[in-house]
Amino acid sequence: MRVLAAITLVAAAVSAQEYFRLSTPYSYTCQDNFCVRQVRTEVPTYQSQAGCQLTCGERGNFMPTPTGTTRLSNNTRYFNPEHMEVTNIAAPDQEVSRMLEEATRYMRRNIHFLHPDFPAHRKTPYTEAERVQYVRENQQRQFNQRITFTEASAQQQQQQQTQEFEPEQAQIYESWERFSPFLSEKYSHGINRHRVNIEITVAQPVTRLRLDTDESYEIDMKTTGDETLVRIQAPTYFGARHALETFSQMIAFDETNNALMILEDATVTDSPRFRYRGFMLDTSRNFYPKEDLMRLMDTMASNKMNYFQWHITDGASFPMYSERRPEMSYYGAYSPRKVYYPNDIREIVEYARMRGINVVPEISGPAQSNAGWQWGERSGKGPLLLCAGLCAGQDPWFNHLKEPEDGSLNPVNPEVYNILEEIYQDAIEYFEPEMMHLGGDGVSFKCWQNSNAIQEYLAANALESNSEQMFKLWNTYQNNVYAKMTSAAGPERKITPIIHSSSLARNYINKDNYIIQINEPSSDPAAAQYVKDGYRVILANNDHWRVDCLDTAWYGEKAERCPSITPTWQSFFRNSPLDNMESIPNIRDAQTPEARTLRDNVLGGIVSLYSSETDSNGLDSKAWPRVSAMAERLWFDPTIAPQGFDTTLKRLNYHRQRMVSRGTRASPLQPEICMQDESACYSREEYAARAANIPQAA
């Protein structure tokens, strides 16, 4: 009998689980820009958690925060996402129109992902395979047994059944639609009646992002009766794409109705403070599949980041297939499956372009070179590499190099430069880059001074083996690779090289030709000095903007540069490129032409992830949502304490949840209770500040 009773209870529980779901006893109230949880019987008006979080605060839950006008309604409307459509696109040419159509389809997909029951394993990169042609031959549009149809779609099916099918009537649907729980929800007439219509106007026929691209936009959203009309205006596609991201952040899933809610009215004008908002990923030390790089582009786009620096080669491996020099990946890739072939690269570059992201290839040299270059001597080209293979030989790597399995290109062998030109030609064809990163850091003079090839060169030219000559050799290498890159680009294309900051760069690099990537700590005056000297700079401060420095046990120079304290989201947020220029008077105000020139030379910043201890399995959790805090800094760059109490952490929590709904495996910053009751998780300092009524910055 006890066994029978247990079985009965289990069956009852399963039955209850299948047909019954608990409601919530709580309501949420906005107090001082935070949602506070209360028992719903103790408040006069019920408000769901999603409704409160969508409307609480002057700037809502946007991430990053808009820089211009932001006016948001305190009221929301429910709607079925099947009734959201783009009703008009005004574009300067067919290509921009096509891009906008693609961007709106992608945005609509992300909206459907907001449903908690959307299968997580179906949230894959949005490629051509997502658009599948289904031929409807007098049969229902039925993707699986769970789908029930709205009244409108049922009428449409009935009409189709009375018509004779013609092959050209085949329609293209998004394959993910078959998995959307919204299609099986049954809504009230009021929810089904509401329409969300979007109109987009873009002025300029710009189809590729550049440093001077205008990324601004305006959104005007008004609800009249049963229609919410969203008007988006932007000078370029890239501003309109950002606008669609901001618009998607005005929508939330409501558990009570299993429907979406949208703000009734909103006005947003917005543009970024910095032109370069980047992410550097090293895919050489550990390989990342193409689909994971696409997922990174998706997450970058949701944070309005616009440059992906692809550290595609290094000493560890050479996974970029070169059509002119296939020996490089033949000898340098970890395996034939771990190669980025030309079509892979072009697909990733196009995928990034559609998400407002420019891809910057990084082909390092002269240091951080080993894999792929081993074939030189047996092919009669002389020693292309110096000091390579020491880890497997008789001499430990640390006597000559900065990292195991490292090496250096031979700066006195002309064949090195000829091969590099061919590699650059391939990279330019694959990436069509605006900029190319040439490395330039990590050079070991110990390696060069102990190399027979270098010593023979110095002796033949009656030169001494000292530091001065090593500096000049580095300059010789850099001048040669710049000439080869320029030659590979041809007379019709201008490519700007980026190089890491160093004493070498400071002494030799032409400020008009190069951009300097600043790796020094934020307290180092080097960044300001570069700007004073007229260089354009991108900040990559290793004490704040590296995500691989998390319990690192790796060895070598890259690991040694990790800060002693792992950067938190606060570290990522507080590090402002302009705050690192304190020695330059009035750089923020930029009242004079000279000050404006200096201000314009600070292009922005980039987060770095060297993959010694990371691959695609750990990418999301290491990067997000810490990098979202950096994206906020580079887009909004707040300079004063906000009104009331700072909401950065609150918005990061919410944005992290939004990214997870889209398939990003981002780590939480706090226990979920801190989203359930946003007033519950203050630090001691914040409690003290609140008691004294003192605004707190993040």
Side-chain angles (χ1 to χ4, degrees):
M1 287 296 293
R2 290 182 179 177
V3 173
L4 180 60
I7 293 173
T8 303
L9 286 172
V10 170
V14 171
S15 177
Q17 188 176 26
E18 186 174 357
Y19 297 105
F20 175 73
R21 180 175 294 163
L22 286 171
S23 60
T24 176
Y26 300 113
S27 179
Y28 295 82
T29 305
C30 183
Q31 298 179 9
D32 294 329
N33 293 328
F34 292 92
C35 289
V36 178
R37 188 176 69 177
Q38 298 171 289
V39 177
R40 60 193 302 175
T41 56
E42 298 176 357
V43 295
T45 304
Y46 168 74
Q47 186 176 37
S48 67
Q49 181 185 2
C52 181
Q53 290 174 331
L54 199 61
T55 58
C56 185
E58 294 180 0
R59 292 181 176 267
N61 268 323
F62 293 128
M63 183 61 71
T65 304
T67 57
T69 302
T70 305
R71 289 193 293 269
L72 307 177
S73 171
N74 291 325
N75 300 316
T76 60
R77 298 290 293 270
Y78 297 108
F79 74 102
N80 179 348
E82 284 294 282
H83 299 155
M84 179 177 69
E85 62 178 321
V86 178
T87 55
N88 185 59
I89 290 178
D93 59 30
Q94 188 172 357
E95 173 62 7
V96 174
S97 179
R98 183 194 70 81
M99 293 171 70
L100 289 168
E101 290 172 0
E102 174 86 356
T104 55
R105 284 195 294 265
Y106 175 71
M107 180 273 296
R108 182 170 173 265
R109 176 178 181 259
N110 286 338
I111 295 300
H112 278 258
F113 284 177
L114 287 172
H115 199 297
D117 295 335
F118 199 107
H121 67 283
R122 298 294 180 183
K123 298 175 180 180
T124 55
Y126 183 65
T127 62
E128 286 293 327
E130 288 289 320
R131 291 189 294 283
V132 181
Q133 183 167 296
Y134 295 96
V135 179
R136 300 180 297 182
E137 295 178 305
N138 298 325
Q139 56 183 297
Q140 293 183 350
R141 177 188 170 193
Q142 183 171 349
F143 299 106
N144 60 34
Q145 295 179 353
R146 295 188 306 113
I147 290 182
T148 60
F149 298 94
T150 64
E151 181 181 350
S153 63
Q155 291 174 354
Q156 193 175 34
Q157 292 163 28
Q158 188 174 8
Q159 291 172 3
Q160 290 167 356
Q161 289 173 355
T162 62
Q163 298 172 355
E164 183 178 352
F165 173 78
E166 297 292 340
E168 59 267 20
Q169 287 179 312
Q171 295 192 14
I172 294 178
Y173 298 110
E174 307 287 355
S175 65
W176 55 265
E177 284 184 295
R178 72 184 90 171
F179 306 110
S180 176
F182 287 112
L183 297 182
S184 60
E185 296 285 1
K186 295 182 179 179
Y187 295 114
S188 68
H189 180 65
I191 293 177
N192 263 333
R193 191 174 56 209
H194 196 82
R195 296 293 188 269
V196 177
N197 296 324
I198 304 169
E199 298 178 354
I200 306 174
T201 301
V202 168
Q204 301 173 15
V206 177
T207 58
R208 292 192 175 275
L209 181 87
R210 295 291 184 261
L211 278 174
D212 59 356
T213 299
D214 190 337
E215 298 178 82
S216 65
Y217 66 87
E218 297 179 5
I219 300 176
D220 183 62
M221 186 164 75
K222 293 186 182 300
T223 298
T224 304
D226 292 325
E227 180 193 33
T228 297
L229 178 60
V230 184
R231 288 192 173 97
I232 291 173
Q233 296 187 44
T236 69
Y237 163 80
F238 301 96
R241 196 224 66 85
H242 294 323
L244 289 169
E245 174 58 40
T246 298
F247 166 67
S248 73
Q249 296 185 15
M250 300 181 193
I251 299 170
F253 178 78
D254 182 69
E255 289 276 3
T256 305
N257 294 284
N258 281 343
L260 292 179
M261 55 170 52
I262 186 171
L263 295 175
E264 278 194 352
D265 304 295
T267 301
V268 176
T269 60
D270 197 11
S271 61
R273 305 283 195 208
F274 292 100
R275 291 177 280 168
Y276 197 105
R277 309 177 301 281
F279 193 116
M280 188 288 290
L281 180 66
D282 157 29
T283 63
S284 170
R285 290 172 173 85
N286 278 303
F287 182 84
Y288 291 71
K290 175 180 69 176
E291 293 75 16
D292 292 292
L293 297 184
M294 290 177 169
R295 193 177 76 250
L296 174 60
M297 300 304 105
D298 288 333
T299 312
M300 287 178 61
S302 70
N303 289 274
K304 298 189 175 79
M305 301 179 76
N306 64 348
Y307 278 92
F308 173 49
Q309 183 178 314
W310 190 352
H311 188 98
I312 196 169
T313 70
D314 205 287
S317 75
F318 198 108
M320 187 189 87
Y321 183 83
S322 169
E323 293 180 306
R324 291 174 174 83
R325 283 296 172 188
E327 304 97 327
M328 301 304 297
S329 54
Y330 180 74
Y331 287 97
Y334 287 133
S335 82
R337 292 181 180 274
K338 296 183 177 180
V339 173
Y340 299 108
Y341 292 98
N343 285 343
D344 297 325
I345 295 172
R346 290 188 178 102
E347 187 175 357
I348 291 167
V349 169
E350 175 63 11
Y351 195 86
R353 181 176 77 99
M354 294 301 299
R355 279 143 193 81
I357 298 168
N358 191 322
V359 181
V360 179
E362 180 177 357
I363 300 173
S364 294
Q368 300 174 26
S369 301
N370 186 347
W373 291 91
Q374 303 95 327
W375 54 274
E377 287 196 74
R378 68 173 66 95
S379 299
K381 294 187 178 296
L384 303 176
L385 278 173
L386 306 177
C387 310
L390 293 175
C391 197
Q394 73 282 2
D395 205 0
W397 63 269
F398 46 79
N399 286 341
H400 301 273
L401 300 169
K402 302 294 182 72
E403 187 173 315
E405 285 300 309
D406 203 350
S408 173
L409 295 179
N410 184 352
V412 298
N413 183 347
E415 290 292 348
V416 167
Y417 304 110
N418 295 331
I419 295 167
L420 280 173
E421 181 174 13
E422 292 180 290
I423 294 171
Y424 292 157
Q425 286 175 315
D426 285 328
I428 290 167
E429 290 175 6
Y430 305 160
F431 291 92
E432 298 185 47
E434 173 193 17
M435 293 170 273
M436 183 179 291
H437 203 299
L438 301 180
D441 67 331
V443 177
S444 170
F445 286 172
K446 284 184 180 180
C447 166
W448 285 6
Q449 288 176 319
N450 289 304
S451 162
N452 291 333
I454 298 293
Q455 292 304 317
E456 290 171 5
Y457 169 84
L458 294 175
N461 290 277
L463 299 172
E464 295 185 15
S465 180
N466 54 29
S467 296
E468 181 182 359
Q469 290 303 326
M470 298 304 106
F471 268 72
K472 289 181 179 180
L473 270 182
W474 181 90
N475 189 41
T476 297
Y477 169 87
Q478 206 59 51
N479 286 337
N480 284 333
V481 297
Y482 179 81
K484 293 298 185 182
M485 185 203 73
T486 303
S487 173
E492 302 300 321
R493 181 190 296 271
K494 176 175 172 54
I495 298 175
T496 301
I498 305 173
I499 196 169
H500 288 290
S501 57
S502 68
S503 57
L504 302 166
R506 190 177 299 113
N507 284 295
Y508 290 103
I509 289 300
N510 186 321
K511 63 182 176 60
D512 296 323
N513 294 339
Y514 282 80
I515 294 171
I516 305 295
Q517 181 174 317
I518 307 291
N519 301 307
E520 284 82 0
S522 56
S523 59
D524 196 304
Q529 191 58 53
Y530 274 112
V531 173
K532 289 177 183 177
D533 292 341
Y535 289 93
R536 291 169 293 169
V537 303
I538 299 166
L539 273 72
N541 305 121
N542 55 38
D543 57 337
H544 287 301
W545 285 350
R546 276 185 63 178
V547 293
D548 56 292
C549 294
L550 184 64
D551 300 325
T552 182
W554 182 240
Y555 29 79
E557 185 184 54
K558 287 286 187 293
E560 291 169 2
R561 288 181 178 177
C562 281
S564 57
I565 299 175
T566 300
T568 64
W569 75 264
Q570 291 98 330
S571 303
F572 278 76
F573 179 75
R574 289 171 178 159
N575 189 44
S576 168
L578 293 183
D579 289 347
N580 291 337
M581 309 289 164
E582 290 181 349
S583 62
I584 303 177
N586 303 318
I587 191 168
R588 280 194 181 276
D589 298 334
Q591 298 296 322
T592 65
E594 294 79 11
R596 283 193 291 273
T597 298
L598 294 178
R599 167 66 179 84
D600 290 342
N601 283 343
V602 184
L603 302 180
I606 187 168
V607 64
S608 303
L609 200 168
Y610 294 99
S611 295
S612 301
E613 299 169 284
T614 309
D615 63 11
S616 59
N617 295 298
L619 168 62
D620 286 359
S621 60
K622 276 199 172 183
W624 311 103
R626 288 189 294 165
V627 177
S628 299
M630 173 193 174
E632 166 94 348
R633 170 56 63 182
L634 292 175
W635 184 279
F636 183 56
D637 195 33
T639 58
I640 59 173
Q643 295 297 315
F645 292 92
D646 185 72
T647 61
T648 305
L649 180 55
K650 161 201 164 178
R651 290 182 295 105
L652 273 176
N653 281 334
Y654 193 80
H655 188 58
R656 180 258 172 186
Q657 189 177 60
R658 186 186 292 129
M659 290 190 291
V660 169
S661 77
R662 298 179 183 183
T664 302
R665 296 186 287 270
S667 296
L669 295 173
Q670 292 182 313
E672 191 171 350
I673 185 61
C674 300
M675 290 190 68
Q676 293 281 317
D677 189 341
E678 294 171 349
S679 66
C681 298
Y682 298 126
S683 67
R684 293 183 181 184
E685 293 75 15
E686 287 169 325
Y687 269 113
R690 287 175 68 82
N693 198 27
I694 301 173
Q696 282 287 292

